[in-house]
Amino acid sequence: MPANKSGPVPRKKKGRRGRLVAITVVLLLVAGIGFGAFWGVSTVRASIPQTTGSLKLPGLTNPVDVVRDANGIPQVYADTDEDLFRAQGYVQAQDRFWEMDVRRHMTAGRLSEMFGKSQVKTDAFLRTLGWHHVAQKEYDTKLSPGTKKYLQAYSAGVNAYLKDHQGSALSLEYAALDFENDYKPGKWTPVDSVAWLKAMAWDLRGNMQEEIDRSLMTSRFTPEQIAQLYPAYPYKRNQPIVDGGTVDPATKQFTPKRSANSAPAGTGTAVGGLQTQLSSLSKTLDEIPALLGPNGNGIGSNSWVVSGAHTTTGKPLLANDPHLAPQMPSLWYQMGLHCRTTGPKCNYDVSGFTFSGMPGVVIGHNQNISWGMTNLGADVTDLYLEKINAEGYLYDNRQRPFTTRKETIKVAGGESREITVRSTNNGPIVSDRDDELGNVGKDAPVGNAAPDRGDGYAVSLRWTALDPGNSMDGVFELNRAKDWSGFRKAAEHFEVPSQNLIYADTKGNIGYQAPGRIPVRGKGDGHFDGTYPAPGWDPAYQWKSYIPQKSLPYEYNPRRGYIVTANQAVVDEKYPYLITKDWGYGSRSQRINDLIQSKIKDGGKVSTDDMQTFQKDNSSEIARLLTPYLTKIDIKDGYVRDAQQLLEGWDFTQEPDSAAAAYFNAVWRNTLKLAFGNKMPKELRVQGQCLNVRPADETGPADENDTYVRECGERDGDTAQPDGGDRWYEVVRNILDDPDNAWWKTEDRPGRPGDKNRDQLLAHAMTDARYELTSKLGKNIDNWSWGRLHQLFLKNQTLGTDGPGMLQGLFNRGPWNLGGGEAAVDATGWNAAGGYKVTWVPSMRMVVNLADLDKSRWINLTGASGHAYDTHYYDQTDKWAKGELLPWAFGEEAVKKAGKDTLTLSP
């Protein structure tokens, strides 16, 4: 990464600079900037926790040591499981309680209690989904006694910290919040921790956005055109995770194809066209905090594992980097949880990435195994049209009563609001939460079997996460698994969200398991595949069962010697169950496959450094495909020709200082806009971007007699279409050698004829890109760089996004000029419809060395601390941006050697 004049200055004297920043903040506030209130140095620094010496933690049976390294990452040592998790709760509250408090209010639909009436609509939708209700049922009826003990111990640790810390002593955000209301946080509960898994599941829920988008497209496109915009997965070019396999029809048992060794080594349904109502639903979804990232094709992750037969260490190497929304602080919290002596009273010796507010480790390794996760993308949601009246809903030719409950939303500084949540047999009626959704189904072509539409249909949501499950049990089982058998048992309980789980152990084995509760749908009219809303009144469209766990794909020590998961198809078309029709299209996964294969051919070996280098690979597949066409176009305008020449000889890498990458990505964005974006319905275009649209009944060449309607986009820029992900790579690939394809043609305008073929449109896009970058980066192409265009801003997810400008400056950091890009392995994602800003990132990176765990490496996006002026607020970000990793000490001696601060928690 080059010198970044617009980004933050590298921090060389961290302690001194931190003090200067704090003093500057105080002086600004004393001077009356912001709210005219006084914050002293003590207020700014009050919440920075004690990390040395000793503190009392009631309820412990024996002292617990917390050893922090130079980056403030804690390693906890205890003698019992309950002591370990009690201390974990205390330590996470020390560093991240504001983040934890906001998360639990979000999952419970109680944001209005903290932030006032602006959050009532969001709370109403979240209450309708009922995450907290489901979490309570899980805790009451599903979770094991051991898991409940751990949750209770964790909660006790959090509450012990809360007892002695209030207001600014908890976090600077609480001092700011006091300007608005007198909010005080309540006690932490075990259900607060369980509910976080629902938020995780929501952001990784699969193809719900695609289901909405396809339906909205029916107002402009034919079914054939929509199918072209959602092409089939390219199985022959981008290999699935599992190399074939069969499910025995009698036993339902999945068997990988030529894989296991004992030793190491569709079409849409008739239910579409819900333009008005689904647009409203989409707007409501945009307002829900997307804590993990914009839902859709972009959100994902990379993970891969290479067996010892192909590594320099002789044992497996495992890498993982989940691609999630950038935020301040990072979603992840690095931590080690160690029993001084493992045995019946203390079962854990594990280290990795945790979620603040939830006990255990989510991704990482213990003393025997390591595991990683990527989003499987299973289709676990369906929207159902419902024929309703005041009393109930129609199902199987009978009127059925709603299931209802009352919810009271408390509002800071205002009166409480009461809502009624109505549910059908398919789930909660999500259309109740928006006035515009009263016309649901108004134009839906649902065929002859549909009931009288009357005032329209409502929309309900069927989602696996709304049924109580055992995922929290699965987290602890993963943490203490000793081998492949224990790992697979844990996977059985990891029901939602459905994640690709990869595996390696210190004995040399590698593996993969697809877990999750994935529905088996009814046949409906023969086309019910989860890609369009279904008629809720027809029993033929109900979910019939779930894919049996033993039928889900897996691999163990495959002969090729490595496994790659990056949101591509899990298994080929011969697999008998429908997992989804909306896989990621395999651009990243195939690039990783190619990188590994190029390294191990002719007996080569993969090193830890190689794994780290692979994670920063920023090659652009769409550039490799499209650039040869762009460079052959005869551009007459010398001003545009200068930019075109940047692409000649370019190696398709997207370094931060690359002018060619900047120009290509601008051409790609404008190509998509001309060929597809301007033709989209307004519900999918970027909010505020307006077009003059000719009415459908006016055909033929444009002339002065045409009338145009001003039509403005309605979609948030992070989720608008075309987003430029690898689905769009496939769309363009399929028409690239068809220069007269209809998608290349644009509408005539008075005085400006439209594009008639591929080369005219590409020339148009190159011209528009030249002028766009001139306005953003200047006339001189020698000064252009991808990083100046493609910047990362880290924002506090509450006061840093919606707070007053002064507060945003206190809590936010950036920008950083980044390389990488959409669907690259270094997946610094951006939405081509919305602009070039970074919308998701590798939120952490790790490489685990199973030959010597102390030689593993890791890094977080920000830092250990959630306190804005703590030394560790974002001390890892500069290294992260450069692709560097930190040493990851695991063994007691290595942790002691790396330790800088030790805090003893005493009974």
Side-chain angles (χ1 to χ4, degrees), residues 20-293:
L20 289 174
V21 171
I23 291 169
T24 302
V25 171
V26 172
L27 290 175
L28 288 172
L29 291 167
V30 169
I33 296 175
F35 301 92
F38 175 78
W39 283 354
V41 173
S42 60
T43 301
V44 174
R45 302 186 64 85
S47 61
I48 296 176
Q50 178 179 337
T51 58
T52 61
S54 62
L55 289 170
K56 295 290 185 182
L57 177 51
L60 292 177
T61 57
N62 292 297
V64 173
D65 291 326
V66 182
V67 182
R68 294 176 184 262
D69 66 9
N71 293 97
I73 300 169
Q75 304 283 339
V76 181
Y77 291 86
D79 293 322
T80 71
D81 291 338
E82 286 85 347
D83 282 358
L84 192 63
F85 294 117
R86 187 180 297 260
Q88 184 182 14
Y90 189 90
V91 171
Q92 287 192 343
Q94 280 187 306
D95 281 337
R96 297 285 192 97
F97 185 74
W98 169 261
E99 176 189 17
M100 294 163 59
D101 202 16
V102 171
R103 283 181 180 177
R104 66 166 168 174
H105 279 79
M106 189 271 287
T107 58
R110 294 170 51 207
L111 291 169
S112 301
E113 294 179 22
M114 298 182 74
F115 305 110
K117 62 182 180 181
S118 66
Q119 300 300 311
V120 168
K121 186 174 180 180
T122 297
D123 281 347
F125 192 86
L126 293 167
R127 297 283 186 99
T128 299
L129 294 179
W131 293 349
H132 204 266
H133 284 277
V134 180
Q136 185 69 58
K137 290 180 181 177
E138 286 186 0
Y139 183 78
D140 291 340
T141 65
K142 288 286 187 176
L143 299 182
S144 71
T147 294
K148 289 184 179 181
K149 281 184 181 180
Y150 301 155
L151 289 164
Q152 291 162 3
Y154 180 90
S155 296
V158 175
N159 291 328
Y161 190 76
L162 287 180
K163 184 179 179 181
D164 297 328
H165 298 79
Q166 294 293 327
S168 61
L170 271 177
S171 191
L172 186 59
E173 286 92 338
Y174 291 102
L177 200 63
D178 276 344
F179 291 121
E180 302 295 334
N181 61 64
D182 58 356
Y183 168 80
K184 297 292 186 292
K187 288 186 175 181
W188 193 266
T189 73
V191 177
D192 291 334
S193 296
V194 177
W196 173 240
L197 285 175
K198 301 303 173 186
M200 183 180 173
W202 176 254
D203 280 1
L204 301 174
R205 63 193 177 272
N207 77 333
M208 182 172 168
Q209 192 65 57
E210 286 87 347
E211 191 172 335
I212 293 171
D213 289 355
R214 270 187 288 257
S215 297
L216 292 171
M217 287 179 184
T218 60
S219 67
R220 288 284 170 87
F221 303 141
T222 66
E224 292 76 19
Q225 288 174 315
I226 295 172
Q228 291 167 10
L229 300 183
Y230 289 87
Y233 184 88
Y235 288 99
K236 292 183 179 179
R237 188 173 65 255
N238 296 341
Q239 67 187 68
I241 297 171
V242 175
D243 184 19
T246 59
V247 175
D248 186 285
T251 65
K252 305 297 184 184
Q253 181 70 45
F254 180 84
T255 302
K257 176 185 177 184
R258 297 182 296 102
S259 178
N261 294 324
S262 59
T267 56
T269 73
V271 190
L274 312 179
Q275 289 80 30
T276 302
Q277 60 277 22
L278 288 177
S279 172
S280 301
L281 175 58
S282 182
K283 292 177 191 174
T284 303
L285 300 183
D286 281 342
E287 294 174 4
I288 295 174
L291 291 185
L292 303 188

Side-chain angles (χ1 to χ4, degrees), residues 297-489:
N297 185 250
I299 191 169
S301 306
N302 300 324
S303 69
W304 64 92
V305 60
V306 182
S307 78
H310 299 303
T311 67
T312 58
T313 67
K315 290 290 178 69
L317 294 170
L318 185 150
N320 198 185
D321 56 284
H323 307 154
L324 306 172
Q327 56 186 271
M328 178 62 81
S330 166
L331 185 82
W332 300 105
Y333 182 86
Q334 294 152 289
M335 199 171 200
L337 300 171
H338 308 280
C339 293
R340 293 190 179 98
T341 303
T342 56
K345 290 185 177 181
C346 206
N347 293 273
Y348 296 89
D349 188 13
V350 61
S351 183
F353 294 86
T354 73
F355 289 139
S356 301
M358 201 177 92
V361 169
V362 178
I363 294 174
H365 70 81
N366 60 29
Q367 69 273 42
N368 297 304
I369 77 165
S370 179
W371 66 94
M373 296 185 189
T374 64
N375 193 22
L376 192 150
D379 185 357
V380 295
T381 61
D382 278 319
L383 295 173
Y384 282 91
L385 301 180
E386 305 283 2
K387 178 61 178 176
I388 68 171
N389 59 29
E391 286 72 40
Y393 61 98
L394 184 67
Y395 178 71
D396 197 15
N397 296 316
R398 288 177 52 198
Q399 195 73 18
R400 314 293 174 105
F402 295 117
T403 300
T404 63
R405 69 175 189 272
K406 299 286 187 181
E407 294 278 355
T408 300
I409 300 173
K410 296 180 181 179
V411 182
E415 295 183 1
S416 298
R417 315 287 176 87
E418 186 177 86
I419 65 169
T420 299
V421 177
R422 303 187 296 177
S423 297
T424 72
N425 60 329
N426 292 311
I429 298 180
V430 291
S431 55
D432 279 351
R433 300 283 73 89
D434 192 303
D435 291 340
E436 295 180 16
L437 296 178
N439 292 325
V440 167
K442 183 177 179 181
D443 299 315
V446 291
N448 295 330
D452 175 59
R453 44 182 95 244
D455 294 328
Y457 304 132
V459 176
S460 64
L461 172 65
R462 184 83 169 95
W463 179 32
T464 56
L466 298 183
D467 298 323
N470 294 86
S471 292
M472 187 62 75
D473 286 339
V475 172
F476 293 112
E477 290 170 354
L478 270 178
N479 284 202
R480 60 177 183 260
K482 293 179 171 61
D483 52 27
W484 173 246
S485 176
F487 169 81
R488 293 194 76 196
K489 181 181 177 183

Side-chain angles (χ1 to χ4, degrees), residues 766-786:
M766 293 170 75
T767 301
D768 287 354
R770 177 27 158 152
Y771 284 94
E772 181 187 5
L773 292 199
T774 297
S775 68
K776 294 180 183 296
L777 302 178
K779 291 183 179 180
N780 187 349
I781 62 176
D782 292 336
N783 294 330
W784 289 2
S785 72
W786 175 226

